[in-house]
Amino acid sequence: MNNARPREGPPLPRFAQLATFMRLPHVPDPKGLDVAILGIPYDGGVTYRPGPRFGPADVRQHSRLIRTYHPVHGIKPFEALRVADVGDVRVNPMDVQNNYARIETAVGAILDAGAVPVCVGGDHSVSLGLLRAVARQHGAVGLVHVDAHQDMWDEHFGNRYFHGAPFRRAVEEGLLDTRRAIQIGIRGSVNDAADFDFARQHRVRTIRGEDVAREGIAWVIRHLQRLGRGPVYLSFDIDGVDPAFAPGTGTPEVGGLTSREAMALIRALKGVRLVGADLVEVSPPYDHSHITSLLAANLLFEIVSVIAATRAEKRRRRPGPRKVGRKERAR
Ligand code: MN
Ligand code: MN
């Protein structure tokens, strides 16, 4: 069994030793884990400013300050769940297709082990590989997609596999249950009004950055009911958050979520059946004072904590063994 607990605070200073996500142990084999945190240092899919290949390393470094108790959920996620840093995907920086195969293999192993993959990118192209692996295990999944961009463009310079297209490809490949899909924080200039057609045609619910500003995050959270009871994937592009809070990213758009709204949104996923998550587009070369990586580290803690809080609530609702009726046995 993995002893998957963060290293103690004192007497070992949190700035000492090798950096892992939230100072969790590095456990390359996901067997026995509940949540496996995986780095995907790939940025061959960017269209503008590069750099998210350095995201996993920098988020590890700036997650040293994350502690072990979540005061809002009232839970110690690393005691409730076995969580570890399983390292990075051995990416191929030169070939997007080969990289997808590598992501699918790594994430497939995590899913086969019964753990939830929580991945730190990398640019947003990686989500297609992740969704392929997740859908193979769970079928078409619901989606919470936080982003300034819909990432449903068709192609860029003739290439259909880049960070502006993963969710269009995912819909085409049948990986998403679009009736249970929601995009939050979409904003900024696009090339044409028709850019929004694909999501509309597939009935993906789109909540724009302007909607969040006008109606408030509580209103946004009410729309999460759309996710239902089935398996859901969370894809969090850090550029969904305003560049005032997250400047270290490749395609920044002003008028985004605050860091508080981002945290509230993830906390509101309590009760949702998250089967996988990613946090992408952190580009440390464009960061200032590490604030983007610090935000990403905290959002990572929020994701693991909400998974822990959801499971704890489920256990509370099913206290102890009970008699199994004939109907249930027949299922
Ligand atoms: Mn994106
Ligand atoms: Mn984006």
Side-chain angles (χ1 to χ4, degrees), residues 9-70:
L12 181 63
R14 49 184 61 252
F15 46 82
Q17 302 301 331
L18 303 183
T20 59
F21 291 120
M22 302 183 282
R23 304 172 75 242
L24 288 160
H26 174 215
V27 180
D29 184 352
K31 283 193 191 73
L33 296 178
D34 297 306
V35 173
I37 308 181
L38 176 71
I40 311 182
Y42 177 82
D43 65 5
V46 304
T47 54
Y48 193 50
R49 309 196 301 202
R53 67 177 58 184
F54 302 111
D58 211 55
V59 174
R60 282 191 178 96
Q61 172 64 6
H62 296 287
S63 65
R64 289 178 182 272
L65 190 55
I66 300 296
R67 302 179 187 88
T68 55
Y69 180 68
H70 194 294

Side-chain angles (χ1 to χ4, degrees), residues 18 21 26 42 61 81 88 93 116 125 145 153 181 200 207 228 256 265 280 282 295 300 316 331:
L18 303 183
F21 291 120
H26 174 215
Y42 177 82
Q61 172 64 6
L81 301 177
D88 288 341
V116 176
S125 70
H145 171 205
W153 279 292
R200 203 177 296 127
I207 294 181
L265 198 54
V280 296
V282 174
L295 173 62
L300 190 60
R316 270 198 297 276
R331 250 179 235 153

Side-chain angles (χ1 to χ4, degrees), residues 103-114:
I103 292 170
E104 279 183 67
T105 302
V107 176
I110 290 169
L111 291 162
D112 287 344

Side-chain angles (χ1 to χ4, degrees), residues 42 44-45 89-105 123 125-126 128-130 132 136 154 158-162 165 169 172-173:
Y42 177 82
V89 176
R90 298 169 77 101
V91 297
N92 178 345
M94 307 309 287
D95 184 337
V96 68
Q97 298 298 348
N98 181 251
N99 197 52
Y100 282 139
R102 287 163 184 257
I103 292 170
E104 279 183 67
T105 302
D123 72 54
S125 70
V126 304
L128 180 59
L130 284 159
R132 284 174 178 169
R136 197 182 305 131
D154 193 12
N159 193 329
R160 302 172 74 242
Y161 299 92
F162 68 108
R169 300 287 94 84
E172 290 168 351
E173 294 180 20

Side-chain angles (χ1 to χ4, degrees), residues 13 67 70 80 83 93 97 101 111 117 127 149-150 165 176 199 205 208 218 245 252 256 283 290 311 327:
R67 302 179 187 88
H70 194 294
V83 191
Q97 298 298 348
L111 291 162
S127 296
H149 315 94
Q150 290 188 301
L176 296 178
R205 183 74 169 91
R208 295 188 48 83
F245 302 92
S283 179
H290 316 296
R311 296 228 182 142
K327 242 188 203 164

